[in-house]
């Protein structure tokens, strides 16, 4: 066992013995694993220093967030955003510095002006040098506040369908922007409902009556003096949602709003003064912002919530006792129940798997970004396929994972004070924004089919999909349950399954693909093929990551267990796909199950240290159930008493209950 | 097409209820601002107002029949929880069934007249489903003939009971009874908690609201802590067990009686699963007929998203599931009604099976409906996430049913216990009856060297009856596998509990397969009862879809057991897709048949008239953030920030 140092604050406050005992049995060094997750001990130090600076500033406290109304949440988010600017100046932090990601990670999105950052990024990527020089300083100084208006009431993921129009007027050298009908209203953009002064509007460009497709335009929507809407602009908040109460997602209607010709973002294409339309690159570049956003959300918006949910649920499961496992003993920790382990530990393994796939994707995209900056678009299709498929898979998996964690905490999971409901309602939005998941899976499937066709015709295909052409029929060689702890064995099974999912669509491929009706008739299978591909790559990257870890401090060993669990849980949960075609036999499936259940008991021993390694502070978890010291019940009781319902007298008693009890209802 | 048999399952009442419904919906007293725009305190206040009004109207109209009351309440209050809910259900029901005649005489008039408001306080902060672990104590003091109630630890504080925080002035408290120095287990006591007249907590009572939750904004779920709080001896519910004045404890005759209440409540949850899923399907399917997106054929207008196979594949199996659960809910309710006569007569022979079955079905249907509601929400894209869709509310109101009235995994294990017991009986040569009678076939097959799975494949995928057999074979195989694994563990280990725990994943799978079989069987059996040919035809399609979709989602079980071949799995998948296209033209009519009024659906996306976008805009304009054209945050924060820079 590793002697992991115990946090100072927990020594002072007294850790629940049920949680303390979990930390004595760790098979690895928690601190070393944390450093590995952060990408080095120096990063861990920097992150902790930043978190410390933020948490010690009461202006950033989130203790009351669960008690606040939509109006209060919005105002608090704006206040925090403004305060953050001040704080950054004080601390010498900058928007491009290494600290920024830790700052936003800690704030976990509960702050205004996030879309302002997307506004800036889209100008940086899509704007000409001149446009960048004009707008970025204004935005950086918050002289203007931006948003990003793409989605419409009637159109989301399908961008070609957008209905907002921008008609070029040669006479005045302006674009005339219009919302021709109600379904064309911009709907959902964050920061737009109440805060933004400007926004990037995506609209169908018309020059001389010809439509050139969707293009981005910078549009001022509110006065810089008194914040009132500009003439021709109707703008407001779209109303309460499942979460994001602090964000003023907005609607926007434009009636003959004019912007100068220079406001069309023109790094890649331009309308010249005489109305000539010029393009310098693939039109797909317009989507590159979205493509990178899909990857950039994964870490903080999707994987982090799963890590937090696992931390809360696993710590609570070590504290909560229920029923007896052995007569005469005290009630057992619910973490000792196999059914509880089966709910939580696969989610923990997935959180690690996705942490590693996220690093891999970022490396891939950093390379791709360099190429695109140099106007080399060759890698775009592959990047697009990757961003689509993994965005869909990771968001879907994490969403269901967080919900499993929520429901694994019994009744207390439903209290907002557990922190789990707000984690869930936040993460589930990620299944929709930046591209609806089913549509995204189909885009990945389209790429896979094209690659498979190309490979069949002997053409070169990107390295990530070369496995598709290596199909060899065969059977899984495993004879014993221990054989399934060999990555070669399960990786091969995943590979075979992914290949089969794609080749099963042979008839579609042979028909030349994308005959629309045929395509629609196969979409259910196409989605499955894309999922199988992404699942396979995730397992593969996890295996490769584990191989590269050094085995100091027990880390490689415990990561190997998690990798095995992630892989075997996937086979167990999708047994039919692996049994089909007989690559795995029924008897082998029983071995997989046995091995999988054995792993649960092994990882159980390290479960709490494995979530400790995520290194969330109590304040960032903001959960009565998940605190480091495990003083769950006391915290829940004290926090509940601060609820406004207990602080104020409800008028309901005097107005309704009293007359009712005294049988004077008729006076109501 | 199936109008009148959907939601209530009682065609005769539809017309009268329709009239009643219109009356309430148009009643100016019941109007209020859109709940989505209210704070939690305001929602609570509105709920209290409506509940109080409803009590008054019940009196005014002289409605007394329990079914009528239930319907009237749902009409008045819609699908939202009410702070009085536990007063009418648990508080009143418990007092009606567990009290002596003297207690009835004292309490029931006060309860029925709502002169007192009560709730039912069982769950504690540290203890839920495992009742024996509750820590609250009631110690009998013969000197004063009182019970002394105490919450000895933080974990023993009563936590979660609805209406406890702010509304109720009485509670039925479950506590460990101590008399003459001995613990006699859990018993129920009537405890006054707030002063009549002032509504202030009584001395020795600490009571309050547990704070905000995932939904249930209008409900004041509460906490209750008691410190040496004394109540008279007569406040113990004494129909069964009794404490005599000198402290002598008299044991109850039969403890299986409590099963009856549990069966009843869980059967209500099965019905709730059906109803909540039906509402979600109504919204998602109507909206999918209104929403146009992308292109199926180049150059053609954007199609309705309901024409996409992926969309149909998300929604139509759920529609079929909603219908399946309606029939299952009705079946359990009828069965319970049928045997509750026997229960009063003291014949409890059918109760254990029904108890085991409802535990599993409660878990199976609430899990499925829970996931289904989310699927419906996701199928509505971004707009599903807006509160105007109504889907977030349906979800948060329904999802706790996976936990309350018995945590689902625990429920599945209770069913498994019954299945294993039945399997053991069969193994030892006895026959079993009822829904588990398929286990009898296992003993016949035991003569053969291979297990049940090795039977020749005879499944006809177009025939619901044949599919029932396939589900039966799967259930048999998984029950057998779980029972054998349990036996193997028992051979290795000392403790029964340990062996059970190490098999529990298999046991839950077996229970799920059993419940799935029961549902397919009940749905199939229902078909022959439908007299209208057109209705029967469309119900048959839904039944087939339900059964085949279930197979396609669990192909591993059917392949591994050799019930289906690879080729048949392909055929199943193919046939599912064909059924989607067949059901497509009836999809909207099938949700219209559920007959939800727009007011109760509470969804802009699911409006009967389909005028979605213009009404979303109207709805959004009323958002609290839009009260003023320029939000006060501009003056407070944004302007100073820009000025400073």
């Amino acid at each position: 066992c590793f002697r992991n140092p115990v946090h100072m604050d927990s020594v002072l406050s007294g850790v629940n013995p049920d949680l303390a005992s979990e930390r004595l049995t760790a098979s690895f060094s928690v601190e070393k694993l944390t450093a590995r997750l952060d990408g080095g001990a120096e990063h861990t130090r920097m992150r902790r220093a930043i978190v410390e600076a933020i948490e010690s500033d009461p202006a950033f406290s989130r203790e009351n967030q669960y008690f606040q109304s939509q109006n209060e949440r919005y105002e608090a988010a704006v206040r925090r955003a403004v305060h953050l600017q001040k704080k950054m100046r004080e601390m010498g932090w900058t928007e491009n510095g290494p600290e920024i990601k830790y700052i936003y990670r800690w704030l976990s999105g509960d702050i205004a002006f996030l879309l302002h950052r997307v506004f800036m990024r889209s100008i940086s990527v899509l704007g000409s040098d001149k446009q960048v020089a004009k707008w970025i300083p204004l935005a950086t100084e918050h002289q203007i506040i931006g948003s990003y208006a793409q989605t419409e009431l009637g159109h989301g993921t399908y961008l070609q369908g957008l209905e907002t129009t921008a008609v070029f007027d040669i006479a005045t050298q302006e674009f005339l922007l219009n919302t021709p009908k109600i379904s064309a209203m911009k709907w959902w953009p964050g920061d737009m409902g109440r805060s933004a002064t400007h926004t990037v509007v995506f609209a169908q460009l018309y020059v001389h009556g010809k439509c050139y497709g969707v293009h981005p335009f910078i549009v001022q929507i509110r006065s810089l003096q008194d914040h009132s809407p500009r003439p021709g602009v109707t703008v407001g908040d779209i109303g309460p949602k499942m979460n994001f109460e602090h964000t003023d997602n907005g609607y926007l209607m434009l009636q003959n709003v004019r912007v100068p010709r220079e406001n069309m973002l023109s790094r890649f294409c331009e309308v010249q003064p005489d109305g000539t339309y010029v393009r310098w690159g693939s039109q797909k570049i317009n989507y590159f912002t979205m493509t990178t956003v899909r990857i950039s959300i994964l870490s903080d918006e999707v994987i982090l919530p799963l890590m937090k949910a696992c931390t809360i649920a696993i710590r609570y499961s070590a504290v909560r006792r229920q029923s007896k496992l052995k007569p005469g003993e005290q009630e057992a920790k619910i973490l000792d129940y196999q059914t509880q382990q089966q709910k939580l530990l696969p989610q923990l393994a997935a959180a690690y798997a996705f942490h590693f796939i996220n690093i891999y994707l970022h490396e891939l995209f950093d390379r791709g970004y360099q190429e695109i900056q140099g106007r080399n678009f060759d890698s775009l299709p592959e990047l697009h396929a990757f961003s689509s498929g993994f965005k869909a898979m990771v968001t879907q998996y994490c969403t269901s994972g967080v919900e499993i964690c929520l429901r694994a905490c019994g009744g207390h999971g439903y209290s907002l004070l557990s922190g789990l409901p707000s984690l869930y309602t936040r993460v589930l939005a990620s299944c929709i924004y930046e591209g609806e998941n089913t549509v995204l899976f189909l885009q990945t499937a389209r790429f896979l089919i094209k690659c498979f066709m190309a490979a069949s015709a002997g053409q070169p295909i990107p390295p990530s999909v070369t496995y598709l052409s290596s199909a060899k029929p065969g059977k899984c060689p495993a004879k014993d349950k221990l054989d399934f702890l060999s990555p070669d064995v399960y990786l091969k099974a995943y590979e075979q399954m992914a290949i089969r999912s794609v080749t099963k669509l042979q008839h579609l491929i042979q028909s030349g693909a994308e005959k629309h009706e045929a395509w629609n008739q196969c979409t259910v299978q196409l989605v499955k093929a894309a999922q199988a591909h992404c699942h396979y790559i995730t397992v593969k990257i996890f295996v490769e990551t584990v191989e590269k870890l050094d085995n100091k401090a027990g880390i490689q060993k415990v990561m190997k267990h998690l990798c095995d669990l992630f892989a075997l849980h996937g086979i167990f949960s999708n047994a039919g796909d692996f049994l089909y075609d007989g690559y795995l036999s029924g008897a082998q499936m029983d071995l997989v199950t046995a091995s999988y259940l054995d792993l649960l008991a092994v990882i159980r021993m390290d479960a709490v240290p494995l979530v400790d390694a995520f290194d969330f502070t109590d304040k960032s978890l903001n959960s009565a159930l998940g605190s480091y010291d495990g003083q769950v019940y006391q915290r829940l009781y004290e926090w509940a008493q601060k609820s406004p319902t207990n602080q104020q007298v409800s008028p309901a008693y005097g107005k309704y209950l009293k007359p009712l009890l005294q049988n004077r209802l008729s006076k109501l | 097409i199936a109008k009148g048999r959907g939601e209530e399952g009682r065609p005769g009442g539809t017309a009268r209820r329709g009239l009643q419904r219109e009356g309430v919906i148009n009643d100016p007293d019941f109007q209020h601002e859109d709940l989505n725009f209210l704070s939690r305190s305001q929602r609570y206040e509105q709920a209290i107002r409506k509940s109080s009004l409803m009590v008054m109207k019940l009196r005014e109209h002289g409605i007394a029949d329990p079914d009528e009351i239930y319907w009237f309440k749902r009409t008045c209050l819609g699908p939202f929880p009410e702070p009085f809910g536990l007063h009418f259900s648990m508080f009143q029901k418990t007092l009606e069934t567990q009290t002596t005649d003297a207690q009835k005489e004292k309490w029931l008039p006060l309860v029925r007249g709502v002169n007192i408001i009560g709730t039912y306080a069982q769950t504690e902060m540290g203890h839920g489903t495992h009742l024996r672990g509750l820590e609250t104590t009631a110690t009998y003091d013969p000197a004063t003939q009182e019970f002394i109630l105490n919450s000895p630890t933080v974990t023993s504080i009563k936590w979660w009971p609805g209406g406890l925080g702010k509304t109720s002035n009485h509670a039925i408290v479950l506590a460990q009874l101590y008399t003459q120095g001995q613990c006699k287990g859990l018993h129920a006591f009537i405890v006054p908690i707030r002063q009549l007249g002032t509504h202030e907590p009584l001395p020795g009572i600490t009571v309050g609201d547990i704070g905000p939750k995932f939904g249930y904004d209008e409900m004041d779920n509460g906490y209750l802590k008691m410190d040496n709080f004394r109540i008279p001896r007569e406040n113990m519910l004494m129909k069964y067990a009794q404490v005599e004045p000198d402290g002598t404890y008299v044991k109850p005759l039969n403890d299986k009686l409590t099963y009856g209440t549990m069966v009843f409540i869980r059967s209500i949850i099965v019905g709730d699963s059906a109803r909540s899923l039906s509402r979600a399907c109504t919204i998602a399917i109507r909206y999918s007929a209104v929403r146009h997106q992308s292109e199926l054929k180049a150059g053609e207008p954007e199609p309705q998203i309901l024409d996409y196979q992926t969309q149909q594949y998300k929604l139509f199996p759920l529609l079929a599931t909603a219908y399946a659960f309606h029939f299952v809910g009705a079946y359990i309710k009828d069965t319970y009604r049928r045997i509750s006569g026997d229960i009063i007569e003291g014949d409890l022979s059918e109760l254990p099976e029904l108890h085991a079955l409802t535990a599993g079905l409660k878990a199976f249907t609430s899990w499925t409906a829970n996931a289904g509601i989310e699927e419906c929400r996701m199928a509505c894209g971004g707009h599903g996430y807006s509160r105007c869709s109504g889907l977030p509310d349906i979800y948060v109101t329904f999802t706790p049913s996976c936990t309350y009235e018995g945590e689902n995994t625990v429920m599945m294990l209770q069913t498994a216990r019954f299945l294993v017991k039945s399997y053991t009986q069969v193994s030892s040569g006895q026959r079993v009856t009822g829904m588990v009678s398929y286990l009898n076939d296992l003993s016949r097959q035991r003569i053969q060297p291979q297990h049940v799975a090795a039977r020749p494949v005879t499944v006809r995928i177009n025939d619901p009856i044949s599919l029932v057999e396939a589900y039966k074979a799967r259930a048999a195989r998984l029950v057998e596998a779980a029972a054998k694994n349990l036996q193997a563990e028992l051979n290795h280990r000392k403790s029964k509990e340990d062996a059970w725990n190490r098999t529990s994943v298999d046991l839950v799978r077996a229970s799920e397969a059993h419940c799935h079989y029961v549902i397919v069987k009940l749905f199939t059996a229902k078909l022959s009862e439908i007299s209208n040919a057109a209705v029967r035809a469309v119900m048959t399609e839904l039944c087939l879809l339900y059964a085949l979709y279930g197979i396609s989602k669990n192909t591993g079980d059917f392949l591994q057991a050799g019930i289906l071949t690879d080729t048949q799995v392909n055929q199943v998948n193919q046939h599912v897709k064909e059924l989607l296209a067949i059901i497509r033209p009836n999809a909207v009519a099938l949700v219209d048949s559920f007959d939800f009024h727009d007011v109760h659906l509470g969804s802009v996306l699911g409006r009967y008239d389909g005028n979605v976008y213009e009404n979303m805009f109207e709805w959004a304009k009323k958002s609290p953030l839009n009260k003023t054209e320029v939000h006060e945050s501009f003056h407070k924060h944004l302007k100073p920030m820009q000025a400073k820079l």
Side-chain angles (χ1 to χ4, degrees), chain A residues 63-74:
Chain A
E63 195 193 352
N64 286 325
Q65 100 177 29
Y66 302 128
F67 301 139
Q68 289 172 332
S69 71
Q70 193 195 359
N71 257 321
E72 291 166 335
R73 289 287 302 275
Y74 167 67

Side-chain angles (χ1 to χ4, degrees), chain A residues 17-130:
Chain A
D18 279 341
L19 212 39
S21 64
E22 297 286 338
R23 295 183 170 122
L24 296 174
T25 58
S27 73
F28 66 96
S29 158
V30 171
E31 188 61 24
K32 291 263 161 54
L33 180 55
T34 301
R36 184 68 182 67
L37 292 174
D38 280 325
E42 65 284 4
H43 289 117
T44 304
R45 273 193 297 279
M46 185 203 286
R47 177 174 57 74
R48 285 183 181 155
I50 290 162
V51 167
E52 166 65 24
I54 294 176
E55 289 190 350
S56 61
D57 186 337
F60 291 111
S61 167
R62 290 160 60 220
E63 195 193 352
N64 286 325
Q65 100 177 29
Y66 302 128
F67 301 139
Q68 289 172 332
S69 71
Q70 193 195 359
N71 257 321
E72 291 166 335
R73 289 287 302 275
Y74 167 67
E75 194 192 322
V78 171
R79 194 178 59 231
R80 258 199 293 278
V82 171
H83 187 75
L84 179 63
Q85 298 307 313
K86 199 174 133 223
K87 188 87 185 173
M88 286 177 65
R89 274 197 305 278
E90 270 171 34
M91 302 295 296
W93 298 333
T94 59
E95 193 64 32
N96 298 317
E99 302 91 353
I100 199 79
K101 71 173 177 186
Y102 299 121
I103 298 170
Y104 279 97
R105 184 176 299 174
W106 190 90
L107 292 164
S108 59
D110 196 2
I111 188 164
F113 310 157
L114 291 178
L115 265 285
H116 180 66
R117 303 176 84 212
V118 177
F119 172 77
M120 288 172 69
R121 186 161 36 189
S122 61
I123 292 173
S124 305
V125 174
L126 302 174
S128 65
D129 292 344
K130 211 170 144 196

Side-chain angles (χ1 to χ4, degrees), chain A residues 194 325 403 424-425 516, chain B residues 296 374 385 395 497 577 628:
Chain A
R194 299 280 81 176
L325 267 177
E403 204 206 8
Y424 176 63
T425 50
H516 295 283
Chain B
L296 272 172
E374 283 298 75
Y385 194 77
Y395 175 72
E497 288 79 2
K577 292 197 288 185
T628 54

Side-chain angles (χ1 to χ4, degrees), chain A residues 591-622:
Chain A
L591 299 177
V592 167
T593 308
S595 223
Y596 159 63
L597 294 176
D598 287 349
L599 275 168
L600 293 178
V602 172
I603 294 167
R604 151 78 192 88
M605 302 313 294
D606 279 322
V608 169
L610 279 167
V611 297
D612 284 353
F614 295 142
D615 200 30
F616 293 114
T617 58
D618 285 353
K619 282 181 179 159
S620 80
L621 285 177
N622 213 17

